[in-house]
Amino acid sequence: MQRCRGGASRGATPGEVQGRVPEGVAGRHSHFRQGPGCQRVFWPGTHHDRMQALVDTLRGLKAVGT
């Protein structure tokens, strides 16, 4: 499989990624991104949720320490 060598991913509709993501993912998500060269599909899954929680925690620490 060819990997993208940079470039911004573009938005993709659920219809565009149908059959290329697990069935459960397709049912739970409506926003997808697609690599411009590799056409790999990405969605905000649990990793995104964990990273957002970390960012929120760090922002809270900065506010306390200011």
Side-chain angles (χ1 to χ4, degrees):
M1 173 191 305
Q2 177 186 357
R3 301 276 181 160
C4 288
R5 296 282 187 216
S9 62
R10 69 169 187 83
T13 66
E16 289 177 297
V17 301
Q18 186 175 7
R20 297 175 43 215
V21 297
E23 219 173 281
V25 169
R28 287 190 309 270
H29 296 280
S30 58
H31 300 288
F32 298 92
R33 307 285 305 165
Q34 189 168 272
C38 67
Q39 301 300 305
R40 290 177 63 202
V41 179
F42 304 91
W43 57 91
T46 57
H47 177 73
H48 176 269
D49 296 342
R50 288 191 306 268
M51 291 295 100
Q52 187 60 57
L54 176 61
V55 168
D56 293 344
T57 298
L58 293 173
R59 284 184 176 151
L61 291 175
K62 182 179 178 188
V64 169
T66 336

